[in-house]
Amino acid sequence: MNRRHVIAAAAFLAAPFAARAQDAWPSRPVTLLVPFAAGGSNDVVARLIAPVLEARLGQPFVVENRPGGGGSLGMGMVARGRADGSVFLISSASNHVFHPLVSGDLGYDPREALPAIAMLVDVPNVLAVHPGFGVTNVQELIAKVRATRGGVSFASSGVGTSNHLAGELFRLRTGVDLTHVPYRGGGPAINDLIAGTVPMAFMNLPTVAPPASDGRVRILAVCTAERVSIRPDLPTVAEQGVADYAVRSWTGLFAPRGTPAPIVARFTAAVREALAAPQVAGRLVAIGSEPLYMPPAETEAFVRQEFDRWAPVVRAAGITTQG
């Protein structure tokens, strides 16, 4: 047997072992990396699905928070991570689309470096205020800001996030004087809104809904184009007199480029089952998110459409990572 035949035979024998190794995934704990601080909407989703995935796949699913850089720090760690099924990214419109658009070159393109496992949830943005700020609707807020010398600060979950974009678009559409105060995630931002350190915030509904339910903060409006089915009682910013205004977020699951197809297929199927589990679907709706499963190809097409949709908006609005 010559050398070429030996190599071919070795490859033939090795293939079933490689396939079995991938089919057996996971054989060790799996990390779900959240690129924001604990307490935000991405973190909530990750911690809801992790125990269900553990039960279905037989290994621990560990949620790890790596905040910083508007979500780019944690996202970069996964984009450059090992493609062996050990780590995945719980990503959002904020870090996956908006931050790359407003901050420039990250050294990689999320559309290429982070293939999709699945879309998880649709997450509405909301405009909320501290109850002591003394406003109950958007027009009262606009009047209050205009009457305040030096304007008013608004909180978001980070520079270049969907919350940041929501605030900047509100400033542009209304002409009011607003100063952006970025935080390292929705958790720290909502804590300061509750404390009254900042008077208003643009944040994801799942982060704001719990303290709003007991009166610690007040939701004035959702930032979506239409009212959301899970909270039809909340009016939109647009219907309260701010024309041409709409921002929405989402949360999805992504892998390092090169993750083997059998791992992606098995994980996608498990995620679909997890989102359909009553304890997950019911809880997501209760906290203000809507389960939105999409398979990998559909998720990747959706992400590309998001880049195409928002790139001209960011350019026209002149939104940058400065301020």
Side-chain angles (χ1 to χ4, degrees), residues 213-271:
S213 67
D214 57 19
R216 290 178 291 163
V217 300
R218 177 180 295 144
I219 300 174
L220 299 187
V222 290
C223 300
T224 48
E226 300 175 348
R227 295 196 185 199
V228 295
S229 60
I230 50 178
R231 287 294 305 271
D233 57 306
L234 295 176
T236 68
V237 172
E239 71 181 274
Q240 294 186 68
V242 182
D244 193 24
Y245 183 93
V247 182
R248 198 176 192 113
S249 190
W250 46 263
T251 299
L253 180 63
F254 299 82
R257 181 167 50 193
T259 299
I263 292 178
V264 172
R266 187 161 194 233
F267 201 8
T268 299
V271 167

Side-chain angles (χ1 to χ4, degrees), residues 243-316:
D244 193 24
Y245 183 93
V247 182
R248 198 176 192 113
S249 190
W250 46 263
T251 299
L253 180 63
F254 299 82
R257 181 167 50 193
T259 299
I263 292 178
V264 172
R266 187 161 194 233
F267 201 8
T268 299
V271 167
R272 184 172 191 174
E273 293 175 1
L275 289 176
Q279 68 267 36
V280 173
R283 182 58 182 157
L284 285 173
V285 171
I287 64 174
S289 295
E290 296 180 281
L292 184 67
Y293 171 80
M294 294 182 195
E298 189 175 342
T299 300
E300 290 177 6
F302 174 82
V303 169
R304 292 180 184 278
Q305 290 168 2
E306 285 280 273
F307 271 88
D308 293 342
R309 175 190 177 198
W310 286 108
V313 175
V314 169
R315 286 195 298 268

Side-chain angles (χ1 to χ4, degrees), residues 3-4 9-10 20 38 41 88 100 131 133 137 143 155 164 178 198 221 232 258 273 290 321:
R3 185 172 181 271
R4 180 165 55 87
R20 283 198 295 272
S41 58
F88 297 89
F133 196 46
N137 59 56
H164 178 195
L178 295 178
V198 286
E273 293 175 1
E290 296 180 281
T321 55

Side-chain angles (χ1 to χ4, degrees), residues 6-282:
V6 170
I7 293 173
F12 176 79
L13 291 172
F17 291 102
R20 283 198 295 272
Q22 293 172 14
D23 290 342
W25 176 90
S27 59
R28 55 178 172 167
V30 177
T31 296
L32 301 178
L33 193 145
V34 175
F36 295 101
S41 58
N42 281 28
D43 183 68
V44 170
V45 172
R47 295 182 190 278
L48 273 177
I49 65 172
V52 183
L53 293 172
E54 287 184 6
R56 279 162 170 72
L57 295 173
Q59 288 289 340
F61 277 71
V62 180
V63 178
E64 180 178 338
N65 299 89
R66 287 298 182 97
S72 63
L73 177 62
M75 183 168 67
M77 291 174 63
V78 178
R80 300 180 179 95
R82 296 179 61 182
D84 59 0
S86 62
V87 62
F88 297 89
L89 177 70
I90 301 289
S91 202
S92 70
S94 291
N95 61 277
H96 214 96
V97 177
F98 296 135
H99 189 79
L101 287 174
V102 304
S103 64
D105 186 18
L106 297 175
Y108 62 90
D109 186 336
R111 291 165 288 188
E112 303 296 335
L114 292 160
I117 300 295
M119 183 61 66
L120 301 175
V121 296
D122 190 19
V123 186
N125 297 99
V126 297
L127 166 56
V129 297
H130 185 273
F133 196 46
V135 300
T136 60
N137 59 56
V138 170
Q139 287 304 316
E140 289 180 1
L141 172 67
I142 292 171
K144 180 74 175 276
V145 177
R146 285 177 175 161
T148 302
R149 184 175 180 179
V152 170
S153 297
F154 76 90
S156 85
S157 57
V159 174
T161 62
S162 63
N163 309 146
H164 178 195
L165 185 61
E168 295 291 353
L169 285 180
F170 188 85
R171 177 180 62 82
L172 291 168
R173 295 291 186 262
T174 61
V176 297
D177 187 2
L178 295 178
T179 300
H180 179 219
V181 181
Y183 287 79
R184 292 169 66 87
I190 192 64
N191 287 340
D192 269 10
L193 183 63
I194 292 170
T197 305
V198 286
M200 61 181 288
F202 291 85
M203 301 179 67
N204 292 344
L205 179 56
T207 307
V208 181
S213 67
D214 57 19
R216 290 178 291 163
V217 300
R218 177 180 295 144
I219 300 174
L220 299 187
V222 290
C223 300
T224 48
E226 300 175 348
R227 295 196 185 199
V228 295
S229 60
I230 50 178
R231 287 294 305 271
D233 57 306
L234 295 176
T236 68
V237 172
E239 71 181 274
Q240 294 186 68
V242 182
D244 193 24
Y245 183 93
V247 182
R248 198 176 192 113
S249 190
W250 46 263
T251 299
L253 180 63
F254 299 82
R257 181 167 50 193
T259 299
I263 292 178
V264 172
R266 187 161 194 233
F267 201 8
T268 299
V271 167
R272 184 172 191 174
E273 293 175 1
L275 289 176
Q279 68 267 36
V280 173

